[in-house]
Amino acid sequence: MAVYALTGFSLVSLLSFGYLSWDWMKPSLVADVAMDPMEKSLPPAFARPPHIIFILTDDQGYHDVGYHGSDIQTPTLDRLAAEGVKLENYYIQPICTPSRSQLITGRYQIHTGLQHSIIRPRQPNCLPLDQVTLPQKLQEAGYSTHMVGKWHLGFYKKECLPTRRGFDTFLGSLTGNVDYYTYDNCDGPGICGYDLHEGEDVAWDQSGKYSTFLYAQRVSKILASHSPKEPIFIYVAFQAVHTPLQSPKEYIYRYRSMGNVARRKYAAMVTCMDEAVKNITWALKKYGYYDNSVIVFSTDNGGQTFSGGSNWPLRGRKGTYWEGGVRGIGFVHSPLIKRKRRTSWALVHITDWYPTLVSLARGNLSNVTGLDGYDVWPAISEGKESPRTEILHNIDPLYNHAKYGSLEDGFGIWNTAVQASIRVGEWKLLTGDPGYSDWIPPQTLTNFPGSWWNLERLTDGLRKSVWLFNITADPYERYDLSEQRPDVVRTLLMRLVHYNRTAIPVRYPAENPRAHPDFNGGAWGPWASEDDGEEWEGIREPLKSRNKKKKCKICKLRSFFRKLNTRLMSNRI
């Protein structure tokens, strides 16, 4: 019963189902648009490779969609999901860069060197240049490829840019956190720059336009200028609903009764994004693409609970390996699906989109080795069993080691101080420090956070470094079975050992002062020459000096502020 409770409908969302028009003011055209004559002439399903629209939202919590019982209105997402296939056993990564890298490469982050944190704006780092990306494979299959939105896969030299990694066109931001109107991003006091790019140029002229509107309008423009007779791939990576919490006032007004200000602004941003998705759907119909299209919707990580997001009733939040950090909202909507209007419990991971979409496009995967993803289209379209039976959530050797972990606790085969997590079948194992572990109800009350929610606080796990859950029977991770089932713990630890043997060194270089926007005309962008090598040092210990310093009061004070700054910066990713 607990599993099925995850998919409860919101009566409010159903009653409020409606749309706004393409210009955001007139009555909706989505539900009532007449079939374009070109659509009627489309050949049967898969007579031509389908058009693929991949929509990725940023920091949208598991609870923050109408069909999961949310108080936030998402009529478009509710309808698209209801008419397609809801993925209720779908997993992503807990933060931005890892999810995006695994989508684009089909590989776990231990196989790209991006297993620690995110790519920072001033780091000489990017998605490894030897990786053949999803859009590159689709280009090989004859697709026109376009990206709109947030990149966050590195940009220190031009070879790292979206237009050099498989996209014909790009409009969006390169960093992970920009103002929705001004497109400014600060990576520390006085280190600020503009970040909106058109192709490989800075798009100064677009400043002042709300990014959610701008990106939806760009998708419509792309569809209007392309022929539906030729296959197209559009990757729409909305900035929404990442901080800063900014939304047009008319959307905030809808949630004026919400007592919590952050939740109110966040809800407005989600609804605005929902209507942008509606406009993209409408454009697909208007310009003759819809009948031969596949729309994939995915979140990139769990919601940030102190910025208005909610993952209730799951445990944890963005940045953690609890279900609230890694279980995503996902669905597929397409006229080409054979068994529509259903919920799928097939195990699916974000790496699976690479082989799934390339196969749909009739691309060639025979020359691609080392993929961690699976082709899950038969599971989605026909309801067949998923070929996936396990997921490596991650192994991060650089994350702060758990104080009470040890090799002894890991049966002599695994150091349980290391942050790692894996799911095999119905079992999920976590070691090290999995991150903030509370269950946090939706922040709808004015006094959140407050003592009213403390009953949901975890109080008995402070001295642990190993957790085991039957995630099928206990999706909320309330019953740790590590002591009752040491046999299962040992089996899953052996799987971690197996994966760790295949991991490549961590790519997490020191920040480079050459990246400062002041040296680039006031904008974030490439700063290294094309001849510069990849400036990373393999496994390294961040935030620790290599020179031993004499302990003193001022040193301890500096250390305290460094740690405080690190925590504050981690909350921005």
Side-chain angles (χ1 to χ4, degrees):
M1 292 297 291
V3 173
Y4 296 104
L6 287 171
T7 57
F9 272 88
S10 166
L11 181 60
V12 174
S13 295
L14 292 175
L15 292 176
S16 61
F17 186 85
Y19 298 93
L20 296 183
S21 73
W22 177 244
D23 64 5
W24 308 91
M25 294 182 68
K26 296 178 182 178
S28 170
L29 297 175
V30 175
D32 303 322
V33 67
M35 182 176 287
D36 190 285
M38 193 175 296
E39 286 187 342
K40 296 178 181 179
S41 64
L42 284 173
F46 292 97
R48 290 203 308 263
H51 308 296
I52 301 170
I53 312 297
F54 195 102
I55 300 172
L56 187 72
T57 60
D58 200 338
D59 286 9
Q60 184 179 0
Y62 181 85
H63 183 69
D64 299 327
V65 65
Y67 67 85
H68 280 174
S70 179
D71 52 347
I72 299 176
Q73 299 170 23
T74 58
T76 305
L77 301 185
D78 295 345
R79 177 176 179 177
L80 293 176
E83 295 176 352
V85 176
K86 300 173 187 174
L87 305 177
E88 291 300 331
N89 207 5
Y90 175 56
Y91 287 87
I92 48 183
Q93 295 307 112
I95 50 178
C96 302
T97 296
S99 280
R100 293 160 205 274
S101 69
Q102 297 193 53
L103 166 67
I104 292 294
T105 67
R107 289 168 168 80
Y108 291 140
Q109 57 202 96
I110 64 164
H111 296 146
T112 59
L114 299 175
Q115 55 266 58
H116 180 67
S117 190
I118 61 169
I119 296 178
R120 306 279 179 182
R122 288 176 284 160
Q123 284 183 314
N125 194 11
C126 72
L127 189 73
L129 299 177
D130 60 351
Q131 295 289 328
V132 179
T133 67
L134 170 61
Q136 286 172 332
K137 294 303 295 182
L138 294 177
Q139 281 180 332
E140 290 178 9
Y143 275 68
S144 172
T145 60
H146 307 268
M147 180 180 173
V148 180
K150 173 177 168 179
W151 176 237
H152 208 187
L153 289 174
F155 58 89
Y156 79 102
K157 56 184 180 179
K158 287 188 176 181
E159 291 95 326
C160 301
L161 297 176
T163 47
R164 307 287 181 102
R165 305 311 304 271
F167 290 103
D168 297 326
T169 69
F170 169 68
L171 173 68
S173 60
L174 298 174
T175 63
N177 180 34
V178 303
D179 187 281
Y180 281 74
Y181 292 96
T182 67
Y183 300 98
D184 291 329
N185 178 24
C186 294
D187 190 43
I191 308 174
C192 302
Y194 184 82
D195 183 18
L196 184 65
H197 294 75
E198 175 89 56
E200 298 182 6
D201 299 321
V202 182
W204 298 104
D205 60 318
Q206 301 292 350
S207 179
K209 300 177 182 177
Y210 188 66
S211 71
T212 305
F213 292 168
L214 177 66
Y215 294 157
Q217 291 164 0
R218 172 52 60 96
V219 173
S220 177
K221 184 177 180 180
I222 291 170
L223 293 172
S225 61
H226 186 79
S227 169
K229 295 181 180 179
E230 301 297 328
I232 190 170
F233 169 61
I234 305 179
Y235 171 35
V236 188
F238 282 114
Q239 175 187 353
V241 289
H242 196 291
T243 54
L245 299 179
Q246 297 172 303
S247 172
K249 291 182 179 179
E250 58 267 30
Y251 294 92
I252 297 176
Y253 185 76
R254 299 186 191 186
Y255 297 100
R256 61 192 179 277
S257 62
M258 274 189 182
N260 184 275
V261 175
R263 181 69 173 172
R264 186 189 313 155
K265 293 179 179 179
Y266 174 90
M269 295 166 70
V270 173
T271 295
C272 184
M273 176 274 297
D274 179 86
E275 293 183 353
V277 174
K278 174 267 303 182
N279 282 286
I280 292 172
T281 308
W282 176 78
L284 288 169
K285 293 187 175 185
K286 177 182 179 182
Y287 298 117
Y289 296 87
Y290 178 78
D291 276 2
N292 192 39
S293 69
V294 174
I295 301 171
V296 180
F297 181 90
S298 172
T299 49
D300 71 333
N301 46 246
Q304 188 58 278
T305 51
F306 53 75
S307 297
S310 175
N311 306 302
W312 183 258
L314 302 179
R315 183 177 185 175
R317 65 187 183 197
K318 172 183 178 177
T320 77
Y321 289 94
W322 304 107
E323 291 292 281
V326 298
R327 181 171 283 200
I329 300 172
F331 65 78
V332 180
H333 177 96
S334 173
L336 307 178
I337 293 174
K338 293 182 179 180
R339 292 183 56 197
K340 305 180 184 68
R341 300 179 180 274
R342 64 184 182 86
T343 296
S344 170
W345 293 96
L347 188 61
V348 178
H349 184 250
I350 195 166
T351 54
D352 296 332
W353 296 121
Y354 186 113
T356 299
L357 298 182
V358 173
S359 296
L360 276 176
R362 301 177 187 170
N364 180 16
L365 287 172
S366 63
N367 58 350
V368 180
T369 59
L371 288 180
D372 294 307
Y374 295 85
D375 180 359
V376 292
W377 184 252
I380 293 171
S381 178
E382 303 171 43
K384 293 184 177 180
E385 246 184 81
S386 172
R388 176 176 289 281
T389 59
E390 65 183 50
I391 295 172
L392 175 68
H393 292 302
N394 195 26
I395 300 170
D396 185 348
L398 297 192
Y399 193 81
N400 297 332
H401 283 199
K403 184 177 181 180
Y404 297 99
S406 67
L407 189 62
E408 181 181 358
D409 288 342
F411 298 97
I413 59 175
W414 183 261
N415 183 359
T416 63
V418 174
Q419 186 191 62
S421 182
I422 189 171
R423 173 169 172 177
V424 178
E426 61 187 8
W427 295 102
K428 178 181 177 181
L429 179 78
L430 303 99
T431 70
D433 179 4
Y436 189 84
S437 63
D438 291 354
W439 297 267
I440 304 176
Q443 303 94 303
T444 56
L445 301 185
T446 305
N447 66 337
F448 181 87
S451 60
W452 64 273
W453 61 280
N454 284 343
L455 290 177
E456 295 295 338
R457 297 292 303 272
L458 177 69
T459 58
D460 61 351
L462 301 180
R463 294 178 177 269
K464 288 181 60 64
S465 63
V466 179
W467 293 262
L468 177 70
F469 301 96
N470 183 322
I471 213 66
T472 303
D474 178 26
Y476 312 138
E477 296 171 298
R478 292 183 178 270
Y479 307 106
D480 176 18
L481 302 176
S482 59
E483 294 184 4
Q484 291 94 316
R485 296 299 305 271
D487 57 321
V488 178
V489 171
R490 185 182 179 89
T491 298
L492 269 60
L493 287 176
M494 287 298 297
R495 293 303 296 160
L496 285 178
V497 171
H498 163 76
Y499 280 113
N500 198 45
R501 287 172 179 157
T502 70
I504 68 172
V506 180
R507 308 166 66 94
Y508 199 73
E511 295 177 336
N512 192 316
R514 294 164 61 191
H516 198 300
D518 285 354
F519 302 133
N520 193 35
W524 292 102
W527 73 87
S529 71
E530 296 186 7
D531 296 327
D532 286 351
E534 294 186 276
E535 305 176 27
W536 58 283
E537 303 176 14
I539 295 182
R540 57 186 297 274
E541 291 291 337
L543 306 177
K544 289 184 180 180
S545 173
R546 297 189 180 189
N547 298 318
K548 293 184 178 180
K549 294 183 179 180
K550 184 177 180 180
K551 294 292 183 180
C552 61
K553 292 183 179 180
I554 188 91
C555 298
K556 291 179 180 179
L557 188 61
R558 286 174 178 167
S559 176
F560 168 77
F561 281 109
R562 278 200 301 268
K563 291 179 181 178
L564 179 61
N565 181 62
T566 300
R567 289 189 178 184
L568 292 174
M569 290 296 293
S570 68
N571 289 335
R572 296 178 60 219
I573 63 178

